[in-house]
Amino acid sequence: QSALTQPPSASGSPGQSITISCTGTSSDIGGYNYVSWYQQHSGRAPKLMIYEVTKRPSGVPDRFSGSKSGNTASLTVSGLQAEDEADYYCSSYAGSNNLLFGGGTKVTVL
Amino acid sequence: QVELQESGPGLMKPSQTLSLTCTVSGGSISSGIYYWSWIRQHPGKGLEWIGYIYYTGSTYYSPSLESRVTISVDTSKNQFSLKVSSVTAADTAVYYCARVGATTHPYYYYAMDVWGQGTTVTVSS
């Protein structure tokens, strides 16, 4: 099993929107609606931002949204804020009780 | 509020067996609605899922690591543990424990909603 594919970096100015992609296969992202997204600030533990492709845990701003098309999932951050600068990781269920992570995307707020 | 805390040695020598424990507080590890997982992060790199365990003792491992990894649970102590055998420098990483939803609404199916702070393990001779 290979890691999911994410772009290494993304950037935007405050107030703009950015979208991060996460590409897998029909055996993981394409086969299940169990994609989650995590935000990790430097030196901190990851934080769950999106689960089951589109759902937000309580307390996560609605500026964060998730979607999926085929074998690719996406995380969109609208109204970018300075505090959104962090690394973002996608994860997907891959069948047979296996989980996969993406390689991570570093988001820079210009 | 559930909290997870990792503990274990910070420095190890090659060929030794790494042992880490995650203590769960504020909730029961036997609730039956979560898996209990280990994840690691190599220095400057991304997250790597190691495996998870259900309170009954059923275990599921990443295919890339399962030959060297054992996860166990002690429900009486509300803890679960990780062992990695024959460590090398490539096992140097921050190791996290996390809670994974084992069912859907209102839980977070196959998502990690609670994480420990992480513990750094360095393998060096």
Side-chain angles (χ1 to χ4, degrees):
Chain A
Q1 290 174 312
S2 300
L4 307 173
T5 301
Q6 296 181 235
S9 62
S11 62
S13 299
Q16 289 186 330
S17 294
I18 62 169
T19 296
I20 302 167
S21 63
C22 173
T23 301
T25 69
S26 58
S27 297
D28 38 70
I29 291 177
Y32 306 94
N33 288 322
Y34 300 126
V35 176
S36 51
W37 289 90
Y38 303 87
Q39 177 192 64
Q40 186 180 35
H41 287 109
S42 181
R44 304 291 298 274
K47 174 186 175 183
L48 179 65
M49 304 301 284
I50 296 287
Y51 68 101
E52 294 180 28
V53 180
T54 62
K55 300 176 183 178
R56 275 188 314 277
S58 175
V60 173
D62 60 6
R63 303 185 292 104
F64 292 86
S65 61
S67 63
K68 188 185 88 167
S69 177
N71 297 336
T72 297
S74 299
L75 173 71
T76 297
V77 185
S78 304
L80 203 59
Q81 299 183 4
E83 67 210 49
D84 300 332
E85 186 161 293
D87 294 326
Y88 291 83
Y89 295 92
C90 61
S91 175
S92 176
Y93 181 67
S96 301
N97 276 294
N98 283 319
L99 296 177
L100 289 175
F101 280 105
T105 298
K106 182 177 182 61
V107 168
T108 301
V109 181
L110 302 171
Chain B
Q1 173 145 341
V2 174
E3 295 185 349
L4 279 61
Q5 178 68 58
E6 306 90 349
S7 59
L11 182 62
M12 303 193 62
K13 295 187 182 303
S15 81
Q16 291 183 328
T17 295
L18 166 65
S19 293
L20 297 176
T21 296
C22 182
T23 300
V24 180
S25 59
S28 173
I29 204 169
S30 303
S31 67
I33 51 179
Y34 299 105
Y35 297 112
W36 303 93
S37 186
W38 288 98
I39 303 98
R40 70 181 182 179
Q41 187 169 32
H42 296 104
K45 301 297 184 182
L47 302 170
E48 179 181 24
W49 179 69
I50 297 172
Y52 53 53
I53 190 166
Y54 196 52
Y55 78 99
T56 56
S58 295
T59 51
Y60 308 93
Y61 301 122
S62 167
S64 64
L65 290 168
E66 66 178 329
S67 64
R68 296 195 297 128
V69 168
T70 302
I71 298 176
S72 58
V73 64
D74 186 336
T75 54
S76 66
K77 295 182 179 179
N78 227 30
Q79 296 175 333
F80 63 106
S81 299
L82 171 71
K83 291 188 185 297
V84 181
S85 63
S86 305
V87 297
T88 68
D91 295 306
T92 293
V94 175
Y95 286 76
Y96 295 99
C97 58
R99 186 177 78 172
V100 181
T103 186
T104 190
H105 183 78
Y107 306 102
Y108 308 140
Y109 213 174
Y110 294 119
M112 298 157 194
D113 67 326
V114 180
W115 294 68
Q117 66 184 24
T119 187
T120 299
V121 175
T122 302
V123 181
S124 175
S125 55

